[in-house]
Amino acid sequence: MMKNGLHLFSLIIITISSASMVVSSSGEQLSSKQCEDLGFTGLALCSDCNTLYEYVKDKELMSDCLKCCTEDSDDSVSKITYSGAILEVCMRKLVFYPEIVGFIEEEKSKFPAVKVQYVFNSPPKLIMLDDEGQHKETIRIDNWKREHLLQFLRRKVKPNSATS
């Protein structure tokens, strides 16, 4: 429970510090890149925006959140799947992420549709891909445990998505 509270607090801090950087007209959805620039990453449900607003009371921030969220519905997030993923990380920073190293060395072979890409100074993240191999979602995984990464990939990456 404390971890979720810290995650929400971190989201609030990141979002507040970057909320003024992107301005768009009301009612439109922002691209994944624009949302990431605002600090909204992952598969946030629109109901999460309401929770954020309860703590921050910032209507502009709420508006940006609503442009980056996934509509709530019966099990809507669990139904989203991807054809593949890129695990992007800086090779020099791997020493700080033993859970990611463990996944790459011992588990990655179980996921042929997941590629590892080393990018200088990149924090660990999953770039989720659609059927055409296009970037659909970016999810930061800095603090994920290996078992959470495994569980997420089993649920979200289609098993027959291997691209040889």
Side-chain angles (χ1 to χ4, degrees):
M1 188 71 170
M2 179 64 163
K3 199 173 221 180
N4 288 341
L6 288 175
H7 177 70
L8 179 59
F9 182 72
S10 298
L11 175 66
I12 292 168
I13 297 299
I14 290 168
T15 305
I16 289 172
S17 65
S18 61
S20 61
M21 293 181 356
V22 176
V23 178
S24 63
S25 61
S26 63
E28 72 179 273
Q29 285 294 111
L30 298 177
S31 71
S32 293
K33 177 69 174 131
Q34 288 172 310
C35 290
E36 186 175 347
D37 290 345
L38 283 171
F40 296 106
T41 59
L43 301 173
L45 293 174
C46 292
S47 60
D48 294 337
C49 298
N50 297 325
T51 304
L52 177 63
Y53 184 73
E54 287 177 27
Y55 289 95
V56 180
K57 304 290 187 209
D58 182 325
K59 290 181 181 177
E60 185 178 346
L61 182 61
M62 172 82 160
S63 173
D64 287 339
C65 183
L66 291 171
K67 294 173 189 169
C68 294
C69 64
T70 302
E71 286 298 322
D72 298 56
S73 67
D74 294 336
D75 213 23
S76 63
V77 172
S78 67
K79 292 178 183 175
I80 298 171
T81 58
Y82 301 94
S83 292
I86 299 169
L87 192 163
E88 184 179 288
V89 64
C90 176
M91 190 175 280
R92 292 179 180 204
K93 291 183 179 180
L94 269 177
V95 68
F96 300 111
Y97 303 104
E99 298 285 341
I100 306 294
V101 172
F103 170 80
I104 292 170
E105 292 178 351
E106 300 170 23
E107 311 283 355
K108 196 263 170 229
S109 62
K110 298 174 186 172
F111 300 93
V114 176
K115 307 298 179 209
V116 177
Q117 181 174 313
Y118 298 103
V119 176
F120 180 73
N121 218 19
S122 176
K125 59 185 158 192
L126 285 172
I127 300 169
M128 308 309 291
L129 307 172
D130 65 11
D131 292 337
E132 290 80 43
Q134 297 299 309
H135 173 154
K136 292 307 290 178
E137 192 74 49
T138 300
I139 304 163
R140 292 278 299 261
I141 58 170
D142 309 58
N143 298 315
W144 286 25
K145 300 265 186 231
R146 185 190 325 188
E147 59 265 20
H148 299 141
L149 184 56
L150 289 167
Q151 180 183 24
F152 179 82
L153 291 172
R154 283 186 197 113
R155 280 191 353 243
K156 297 297 182 183
V157 178
K158 298 173 189 169
N160 299 330
S161 317
T163 53
S164 317

